[in-house]
C-alpha cells in the first residue's frame, strides 16, 4: 500500500523519489507506530498507586497475584524494548534527514 502511495506521488509531481527518501518515509511511519504503542503500554502498566493499570479488570483476582506480576513483568520488558527501539529509530531519522543543530 505504501508502494502505491509513493508511486502516486511520483506520477502526480513528476519527480522521482529516491531510495533514501523512501527509507526515511518508512522509518518515520515505523517510528510513529512504535511511539503510539509505547504510549499505550505505559498507560496500561500498573504503577505504585495502581493508576490506570487496573483497567485490565480482575486479572489479579481471577488468575492470582503471581499471574498478575508476570503480566506486569512482560509489560515492563516490552516497554523497555519499545523505548529503546523508539530512541534508536529517532536517532537514525535525525542522521538521515541531515538536520544540523
Amino acid at each position: 500500500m505504501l508502494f502505491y502511495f509513493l508511486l502516486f506521488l511520483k506520477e502526480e509531481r513528476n519527480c522521482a523519489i529516491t531510495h533514501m527518501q523512501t527509507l526515511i518515509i518508512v522509518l518515520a511511519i515505523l517510528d510513529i507506530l512504535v511511539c503510539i504503542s509505547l504510549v499505550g503500554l505505559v498507560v496500561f502498566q500498573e504503577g505504585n498507586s495502581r493508576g490506570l493499570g487496573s483497567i485490565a479488570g480482575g486479572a489479579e483476582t481471577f488468575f492470582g497475584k503471581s499471574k498478575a506480576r508476570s503480566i506486569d513483568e512482560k509489560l515492563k520488558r516490552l516497554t523497555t524494548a519499545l523505548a529503546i527501539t523508539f530512541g534508536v529509530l529517532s536517532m537514525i531519522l535525525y542522521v538521515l534527514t541531515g538536520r544540523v543543530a
Side-chain angles (χ1 to χ4, degrees):
M1 179 150 171
L2 180 64
F3 174 74
Y4 293 116
F5 177 71
L6 294 175
L7 187 62
F8 172 74
L9 285 178
K10 181 178 178 182
E11 291 174 0
E12 190 68 27
R13 295 184 181 173
N14 271 339
C15 66
I17 295 179
T18 64
H19 293 293
M20 187 60 72
Q21 290 172 335
T22 306
L23 177 66
I24 290 172
I25 291 170
V26 169
L27 286 177
I29 291 171
L30 185 63
D31 197 36
I32 291 169
L33 292 175
V34 168
C35 178
I36 292 170
S37 301
L38 185 61
V39 168
L41 278 175
V42 169
V43 167
F44 282 114
Q45 279 188 8
E46 186 174 313
N48 292 338
S49 63
R50 297 209 28 114
L52 290 177
S54 62
I55 290 177
E60 186 175 324
T61 58
F62 185 71
F63 293 112
K65 289 188 180 253
S66 63
K67 183 72 171 182
R69 278 189 230 130
S70 66
I71 291 173
D72 288 338
E73 288 299 319
K74 289 178 186 176
L75 283 176
K76 286 180 184 178
R77 288 182 186 157
L78 188 58
T79 303
T80 303
L82 281 179
I84 291 170
T85 304
F86 176 72
V88 169
L89 280 175
S90 297
M91 286 187 272
I92 290 172
L93 281 170
Y94 179 79
V95 170
L96 288 179
T97 56
R99 305 249 170 114
V100 178

